[in-house]
């Protein structure tokens, strides 16, 4: 019979593996939130990592759930472990191992996968190894929903994103005086974007606060109030700043937005792109997201993922200790993830329509807001994929009991632990997924990226409310493909890359489950010395 604080070694091992799992979530799942922002040039990779470090960590630490499911999705009943809590402890350890192994492997290959499905697949493997196939809920409330989400998520998100982009395309981009129309309509975009994201954050992204208990009507009222505030801000501050900076080419910085009514005329500047092709290199900071330290030679790897020739030893022969340390620490953000001049996807990019770069620049700010809000909500919710099993192991280690409610308390230090691992994962390994979900599937500009992010977020919110199974990863992938198809050409989408992405979704359950099930069998059924 297990006693409190038995199997300390297992708890220590779970701590290590849970960090790896959260690291993989940061590198794979979190990268989804900023992939389109980086691909379109609205943010550099370094800027995205800095912003995400705050939004993901604060979302996990401040708004993270104070409880988590012991076994996510109700796939396997915890009552089966009531008499043997040590087996549940072992099962969760093996499940995290299986999930982490698959997510890290998929990230290395550049495959965006659902980390939620990964941990669920690992639990399925443990359940089969422990109690047989009949112990798993294969119906609609279990595995059936996961299979459905493979098709439902990308189709719905693609449909919503295509509508948003089409409104922008025909309401602004194809108008004769598109800049003037953009200045008129952007406040409305600010209202709807911030209202939708605020509703998403309060309703789905704040399970650890009293906001989760608010009625839908109250949440809608708060969201509309927030949207109205940002719309007024756009009318009186942001749009005047945009007009002077974009149309008048005045020498204005981003922080002048907040005091623009009190700033007099400034001499024009010539840093704004002068032709439509220049939008690809334009960012908020008027810099480039490509790191010039690395050559632009590229090659195509398995799965159609295009990678730059960054592994060539291009540094000086003699490196100082400081240079070596910076090389290691900044390895993940010194990557070319946009692939704009890449011959392998040149035909895909050539099929995309290019519009007025001034209008595209205006939408880069909306896109950054959307990415930040989605990342903040992601940190408050999906961190449970890593810290939920860890919290279960920690609770069993302390009490030697199984909570039959399938809920386990999540201490703040575990939320912080998972948040730190997520941030490190994005900064050091997230470039793999950002590269794939960005310009490797289709060409992204700020209007396209904004439409994809907002469409994916709106789809997740709506389907969650309706009880339909969706995955954030699958939604942003479907939105990306749909935005490419809005160019009116099938050649505007890299179908080979999409095929590999879809295959990786299908592989997630069996691969993660097989790894976890084999580890559990090896540990539980191995010959004992006593």
């Amino acid at each position: 019979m297990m006693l409190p604080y038995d199997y300390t070694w297992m708890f220590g091992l779970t701590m290590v593996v849970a960090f790896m799992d959260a690291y993989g979530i940061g590198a794979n799942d979190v990268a989804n939130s900023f992939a389109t922002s980086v691909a379109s040039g609205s943010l550099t990779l370094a800027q995205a990592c800095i912003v995400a470090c705050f939004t993901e960590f604060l979302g996990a630490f401040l708004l993270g759930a104070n409880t988590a499911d012991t076994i996510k999705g109700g796939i396997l009943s915890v009552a089966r472990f009531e008499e043997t809590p040590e087996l549940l402890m072992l099962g969760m350890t093996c499940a995290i191992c299986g999930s982490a192994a698959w997510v890290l492997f998929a990230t290395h290959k550049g495959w965006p996968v659902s980390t939620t499905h990964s941990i669920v697949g690992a639990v399925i493997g443990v359940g089969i190894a422990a109690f047989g196939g009949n112990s798993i809920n294969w119906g609609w409330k279990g595995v059936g929903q996961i299979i459905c989400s493979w098709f439902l998520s990308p189709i719905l998100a693609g449909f919503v994103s295509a509508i948003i982009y089409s409104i922008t395309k025909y309401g602004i981009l194809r108008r004769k005086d598109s800049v003037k129309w953009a200045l008129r309509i952007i406040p409305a975009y600010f209202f709807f974007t911030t209202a939708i994201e605020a509703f998403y954050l309060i309703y789905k992204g704040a399970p650890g606060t009293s906001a989760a208990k608010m009625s839908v009507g109250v949440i809608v009222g708060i969201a509309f109030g927030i949207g109205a505030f940002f719309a007024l801000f756009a009318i009186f501050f942001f749009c005047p700043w945009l007009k002077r900076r974009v149309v008048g080419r005045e020498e204005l910085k981003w922080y002048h937005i907040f005091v623009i009514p009190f700033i007099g005329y400034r001499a024009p500047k010539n840093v704004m792109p002068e032709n439509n092709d220049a939008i690809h290199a334009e960012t908020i900071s008027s810099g480039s997201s490509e790191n010039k330290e690395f050559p632009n030679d590229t090659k195509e790897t398995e799965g159609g993922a295009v990678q730059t020739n960054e592994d060539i030893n291009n540094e000086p022969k003699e490196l100082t200790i400081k240079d070596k340390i910076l090389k290691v620490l900044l390895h993940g953000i010194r990557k070319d993830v946009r692939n704009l001049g890449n011959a392998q996807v040149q035909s895909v990019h050539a099929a995309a329509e290019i519009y007025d770069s001034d209008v595209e620049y205006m939408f880069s700010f909306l896109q950054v807001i959307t990415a930040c809000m989605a990342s903040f909500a992601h940190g408050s919710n999906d961190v449970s994929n890593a810290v939920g099993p860890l919290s279960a192991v920690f609770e069993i280690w302390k009490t030697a009991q199984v909570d039959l409610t399938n809920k386990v308390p999540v201490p703040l230090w575990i939320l912080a632990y998972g948040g730190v691992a997520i941030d490190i994962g994005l900064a050091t390994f997230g470039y793999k997924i950002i590269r794939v979900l960005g310009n490797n599937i289709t060409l992204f500009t700020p209007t396209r990226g904004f439409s994809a992010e907002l469409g994916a977020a709106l789809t997740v919110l709506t389907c969650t409310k309706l009880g339909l199974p969706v995955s954030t990863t699958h939604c942003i992938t479907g939105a990306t493909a749909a935005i490419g198809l809005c160019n009116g050409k099938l050649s505007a989408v890299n179908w080979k890359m999409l095929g590999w992405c879809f295959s990786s979704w299908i592989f997630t359950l069996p691969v993660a489950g097989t790894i976890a099930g084999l580890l559990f069998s090896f540990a539980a059924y191995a010959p004992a010395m006593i």
Side-chain angles (χ1 to χ4, degrees):
M1 181 179 178
M2 180 181 177
L3 298 175
Y5 303 106
D6 280 351
Y7 304 103
T8 301
W9 65 269
M10 196 183 301
F11 170 61
L13 176 62
T14 308
M15 285 283 294
V16 175
V17 181
F19 187 92
M20 295 172 59
D21 194 32
Y23 177 92
I25 291 174
N28 200 298
D29 235 17
V30 178
N32 299 336
S33 301
F34 290 93
T36 55
S37 296
V38 175
S40 66
S42 295
L43 287 174
T44 66
L45 182 55
Q47 289 170 341
C49 290
I50 293 172
V51 171
C53 282
F54 288 97
T55 55
E56 287 288 335
F57 179 81
L58 292 177
F61 187 73
L62 298 179
L63 296 181
N66 50 23
T67 62
D69 291 341
T70 304
I71 295 181
K72 201 170 185 67
I75 296 292
L76 179 66
S77 174
V78 293
R80 294 177 176 273
F81 297 94
E82 183 178 7
E83 301 298 328
T84 54
E86 64 272 19
L87 277 185
L88 178 58
M89 192 175 176
L90 173 64
M92 291 299 98
T93 302
C94 295
I96 299 178
C97 288
S99 174
W102 169 244
V103 170
L104 290 175
F105 176 80
T107 303
H108 174 69
K109 292 296 183 181
W111 301 338
V113 297
S114 171
T115 54
T116 301
H117 292 181
S118 183
I119 189 65
V120 169
V123 170
I124 291 174
V126 169
I128 293 175
F131 305 106
N134 292 331
S135 64
I136 304 300
N137 183 356
W138 301 102
W140 173 251
K141 293 296 184 180
V143 180
Q145 283 194 358
I146 296 175
I147 296 176
C148 177
S149 72
W150 295 342
F151 306 95
L152 186 66
S153 298
I155 292 175
L156 288 180
F159 179 74
V160 175
S161 298
I163 291 176
I164 296 173
Y165 180 66
S166 296
I167 293 173
T168 306
K169 179 179 178 179
Y170 294 104
I172 297 177
L173 296 175
R174 285 194 171 181
R175 294 264 186 168
K176 185 176 181 180
D177 195 348
S178 58
V179 172
K180 182 184 295 185
W181 279 100
L183 289 173
R184 292 172 178 171
I185 299 178
I186 275 181
Y189 274 90
F190 260 87
F191 173 80
F192 287 109
T193 300
T194 53
I196 289 172
E197 295 292 352
F199 187 92
Y200 174 78
L201 186 62
I202 297 172
Y203 178 76
K204 184 177 184 290
T209 68
S210 58
K213 301 178 181 178
M214 293 181 181
S215 65
V216 174
V218 173
I219 296 177
V220 169
I222 295 174
F224 271 59
I226 294 174
F229 170 81
F230 278 97
L232 292 174
F233 174 82
I235 292 172
F236 294 107
F237 293 91
F238 183 66
C239 286
W241 178 87
L242 270 182
K243 184 175 182 179
R244 291 175 59 176
R245 176 172 167 83
V246 175
V247 180
R249 297 294 197 265
E250 293 187 38
E251 180 72 40
L252 294 171
K253 302 297 183 181
W254 66 269
Y255 48 81
H256 290 146
I257 296 175
F258 307 100
V259 291
I260 195 65
F262 311 103
I263 296 180
Y265 175 79
R266 298 199 171 202
K269 57 184 297 187
N270 297 317
V271 299
M272 297 298 295
E274 298 296 335
N275 56 70
N276 289 343
D277 293 334
I279 185 60
H280 303 319
E282 180 67 19
T283 66
I284 287 179
S285 60
S286 299
S288 171
S289 69
E290 299 178 34
N291 191 297
K292 302 302 181 184
E293 179 181 349
F294 296 94
N296 289 326
D297 297 330
T298 56
K299 61 181 180 178
E300 184 173 3
T301 63
E302 58 226 274
V306 179
Q307 298 192 10
T308 54
N309 192 14
E310 299 154 74
D311 296 327
I312 294 178
N313 186 10
N314 200 40
E315 288 77 24
K317 293 182 179 179
E318 296 292 335
L319 292 177
T320 64
I321 296 178
K322 177 183 177 181
D323 291 335
K324 292 179 180 179
I325 295 175
L326 288 176
K327 181 181 177 182
V328 173
L329 295 179
L330 302 179
H331 170 76
I333 60 177
R334 286 181 171 178
K335 300 290 183 181
D336 170 24
V337 295
R338 298 186 70 191
N339 293 321
L340 293 177
N342 197 299
Q344 300 289 346
V345 291
Q346 188 173 7
S347 61
V348 175
H349 293 177
E353 295 181 80
I354 303 299
Y355 301 102
D356 193 324
S357 57
D358 288 346
V359 178
E360 295 286 1
Y361 177 81
M362 293 178 181
F363 273 85
S364 61
F365 296 85
L366 277 170
Q367 187 183 6
V368 172
I369 292 174
T370 307
C372 290
M373 298 287 279
S375 176
F376 193 82
H378 176 275
S380 66
N381 281 273
D382 289 6
V383 70
S384 65
N385 291 335
V387 303
L390 174 59
S391 300
V393 171
F394 177 63
E395 188 68 15
I396 294 172
W397 177 67
K398 283 199 314 178
T399 64
Q401 294 180 348
V402 176
D403 190 341
L404 298 181
T405 63
N406 198 36
K407 292 290 183 180
V408 61
V410 181
L412 285 178
W413 70 266
I414 289 184
L415 285 174
Y417 183 72
V420 169
I422 285 175
D423 288 340
I424 296 175
L426 174 65
T428 59
F429 211 32
Y431 66 91
K432 294 276 189 177
I433 301 300
I434 291 177
R435 177 184 291 149
V436 170
L437 285 180
N439 292 315
N440 197 23
I441 292 180
T442 191
L443 178 67
F444 265 113
T445 56
T447 52
R448 292 180 171 95
F450 161 75
S451 302
E453 290 175 357
L454 185 59
L458 185 59
T459 301
V460 172
L461 166 65
T462 306
C463 290
T464 300
K465 173 61 179 176
L466 297 176
L468 299 175
V470 292
S471 164
T472 305
T473 301
H474 302 171
C475 283
I476 193 63
T477 304
T480 299
I483 294 298
L485 290 175
C486 284
N487 291 298
K489 302 176 183 177
L490 291 175
S491 59
V493 177
N494 185 347
W495 296 103
K496 182 179 179 181
M497 187 68 247
L498 274 180
W500 277 98
C501 290
F502 186 79
S503 298
S504 67
W505 302 347
I506 298 176
F507 293 151
T508 296
L509 284 183
V511 173
T514 299
I515 296 173
L518 289 176
L519 287 174
F520 182 86
S521 298
F522 180 79
Y525 304 127
M529 294 183 64
I530 54 175

